[in-house]
Amino acid sequence: MLSFRPPAMRTVNYFRTIWISDVHLGTRASRADFLYDFLRHNEADYLYLVGDIFDGWALQRNWYWDPFHNGVLQQILRKARKGTHVVYIPGNHDEFARQYYGLKLDEIVVRPSALHTTVDGRQLLVLHGDEFDGIIRYAPWLSHLGARAYELVLVLNRWYNHVRRRLGLSYWSLSAYLKYRTKRAVQYIADFERAVVAEARKHDVEGVVCGHIHHAELREIGGILYANTGDWVESCTALVEHFDGRLEILHWTPAEVFLNPSGDGRLPDELPALSVPVRP
């Protein structure tokens, strides 16, 4: 289920668990501004960072880091220091963090994968998922080339939608169109989902939570719950667990953008004052 939270509901929401992935901090395409707003308005007992939080590939080529990138890290650290159990599972873009498996970095535990038990007793395998991507496993050079092509599509998408806004038209995602209209891309997603579900069966768990392919999804596949957290480049989605065990995918657009659709779709560079909400 994909849910949209209108500005009128933008108080602090409390969940048992939040999963986010594919933020790609260090790139201009990262919607760190949206994620910063999400983290300010959502608290949880458990927070899973399911890979590609940083984009080491992009940072090696060109350093980019704006105030919202810092803001995201500050919000994550604040949650950890206030008692949220934070688990960081590096992906292929932030594989440099894999050398820290087992370590606790400022209250954040780094692991290759994790098992999460929902409040209603279901066990979920949590992993990034790049190990089930055939391109990364057998042709890593092609994966890097694909990442560059994806960045180009995002740049074209940004300029195209700038023109659409000038014309009073709504947002349209070029990358999403290519992803869902190209048979090879659709087959790639289906193959990935089957491989991840097969891994969940090997671990004898009820479900699996992953990221990697930037495609938010929550459904049952062959008796296994498959959940993909999506990304914070295009869709701006997170998976959450409510206190009754119900899972939900949230799509997040900050109130400032919702109330000013004629703007450029980004928040001001100046960060609002940080506040620490108290759980009732």
Side-chain angles (χ1 to χ4, degrees), residues 129-171:
D130 59 290
E131 62 267 47
F132 304 103
D133 186 332
I135 294 177
I136 289 177
R137 290 181 62 187
Y138 303 113
W141 64 271
L142 189 57
S143 178
H144 282 264
L145 183 62
R148 296 298 294 272
Y150 181 60
E151 291 172 8
L152 176 59
V153 169
L154 291 176
V155 171
L156 293 174
N157 188 72
R158 189 160 57 245
W159 282 104
Y160 177 73
N161 278 285
H162 178 73
V163 173
R164 286 180 65 87
R165 280 193 299 272
R166 294 272 183 156
L167 297 175
L169 300 175
S170 61
Y171 177 84

Side-chain angles (χ1 to χ4, degrees), residues 123-125 127 132 194-209 224-225:
Q123 275 205 317
L124 306 178
L125 175 65
L127 44 77
F132 304 103
R194 281 195 295 268
V196 171
V197 166
E199 183 68 12
R201 286 200 183 92
K202 289 181 184 178
H203 285 76
D204 194 26
V205 294
E206 284 78 19
V208 60
V209 178
I224 299 291
L225 178 66

Side-chain angles (χ1 to χ4, degrees), residues 1 19 21 50 122 124-129 192-193 196-197 200 206-213 215-221 224-230 238-240 247-249:
M1 180 179 180
W19 292 266
S21 74
V50 195
R122 291 174 294 170
L124 306 178
L125 175 65
V126 185
L127 44 77
H128 179 63
F192 175 84
E193 292 174 345
V196 171
V197 166
E206 284 78 19
V208 60
V209 178
C210 60
H212 185 59
I213 60 172
H215 179 53
E217 188 69 84
L218 181 60
R219 63 191 176 97
E220 191 173 286
I221 302 177
I224 299 291
L225 178 66
Y226 170 83
N228 194 297
T229 62
L239 177 70
V240 300
L247 300 181
E248 181 181 14
I249 293 176

Side-chain angles (χ1 to χ4, degrees), residues 46 76-77 88 108 113 122 130 132 142-143 175 202 222 258 265 268:
Y46 300 91
I76 292 172
L77 291 172
Y88 175 24
I108 298 174
S113 62
R122 291 174 294 170
D130 59 290
F132 304 103
L142 189 57
S143 178
S175 56
K202 289 181 184 178
F258 183 87

Side-chain angles (χ1 to χ4, degrees), residues 223-279:
I224 299 291
L225 178 66
Y226 170 83
N228 194 297
T229 62
D231 67 277
W232 290 86
V233 174
E234 296 178 83
S235 58
C236 299
T237 52
L239 177 70
V240 300
E241 176 194 2
H242 294 269
F243 285 98
D244 60 0
R246 179 170 51 93
L247 300 181
E248 181 181 14
I249 293 176
L250 301 183
H251 177 274
W252 195 263
T253 301
E256 294 89 339
V257 174
F258 183 87
L259 295 173
N260 185 27
S262 61
D264 65 359
R266 288 191 176 270
L267 299 182
D269 288 337
E270 183 178 353
L271 298 181
L274 295 180
S275 60
V276 181
V278 178
R279 182 173 174 176

